[in-house]
């Protein structure tokens, strides 16, 4: 695990003030609800993916934005990262237990929206 997630575990019992700019929980929520954070969590909901597979599954995201988003989500302890020592290295990402917990309501929201939009007369 990264130092960031270990820091969060040490403070698990602490209550956070999400309206304060220095709040750790606020940072995590900002990363999860960022433009691309939501799509990364939804893309990883069923299985782990390699970097290029994630990039292809999330249309419109640049390589740079995907790398930045993944870096933040890994640091927050929502996503795990595994590097296979090949040439070139193959990097795989997946959801941690925390990431699955956080991603579940996002997936439900996504499913509700797509279900509603697919109904006749919706819109």
């Amino acid at each position: 695990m990264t130092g960031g997630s270990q820091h969060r575990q040490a403070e698990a019992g602490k209550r956070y003030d999400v309206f304060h700019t220095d709040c750790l929980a606020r940072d995590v929520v900002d990363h999860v609800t960022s433009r691309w954070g939501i799509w990364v969590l939804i893309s990883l909901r069923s299985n782990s993916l390699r970097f290029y597979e994630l990039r292809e599954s999330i249309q419109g995201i640049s390589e740079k934005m995907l790398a930045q988003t993944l870096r933040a989500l890994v640091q927050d302890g929502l996503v795990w990262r595994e590097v296979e020592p090949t040439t070139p290295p193959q990097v795989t990402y997946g959801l941690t237990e925390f990431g699955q917990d956080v991603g579940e309501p996002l997936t439900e929201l996504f499913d509700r929206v797509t279900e509603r939009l697919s109904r006749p007369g919706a819109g």
Side-chain angles (χ1 to χ4, degrees):
M1 294 213 147
T2 64
S5 62
Q6 289 172 351
H7 177 71
R8 281 171 207 27
Q9 289 173 351
E11 296 184 11
K14 182 178 178 182
R15 183 175 172 91
Y16 293 100
D17 179 5
V18 295
F19 295 104
H20 194 278
T21 56
D22 293 336
C23 177
L24 189 59
R26 182 176 177 163
D27 288 343
V28 173
V29 170
D30 284 346
H31 294 151
V32 167
T33 60
S34 71
R35 178 176 181 186
W36 300 113
I38 291 172
W39 299 118
V40 167
L41 293 176
I42 289 173
S43 292
L44 292 172
R45 71 183 173 213
S46 318
N47 56 332
S48 57
L49 296 171
R50 292 200 171 129
F51 184 88
Y52 76 90
E53 293 171 321
L54 261 173
R55 190 183 68 224
E56 302 224 344
S57 74
I58 306 171
Q59 293 188 3
I61 192 168
S62 69
E63 217 169 281
K64 178 182 176 184
M65 282 309 303
L66 179 56
Q68 287 177 355
T69 302
L70 286 166
R71 194 173 307 116
L73 295 174
V74 166
Q75 185 177 3
D76 291 339
L78 296 161
V79 171
W80 55 262
R81 177 181 191 265
E82 180 178 274
V83 180
E84 295 177 39
T86 58
T87 306
Q90 294 181 353
V91 184
T92 305
Y93 295 90
L95 293 181
T96 63
E97 186 178 330
F98 182 35
Q100 291 170 358
D101 256 7
V102 170
E104 190 174 317
L106 298 174
T107 298
E108 288 176 16
L109 174 65
F110 177 76
D111 290 345
R112 284 182 188 173
V113 169
T114 55
E115 179 185 318
R116 177 67 182 219
L117 291 176
S118 66
R119 291 183 195 161

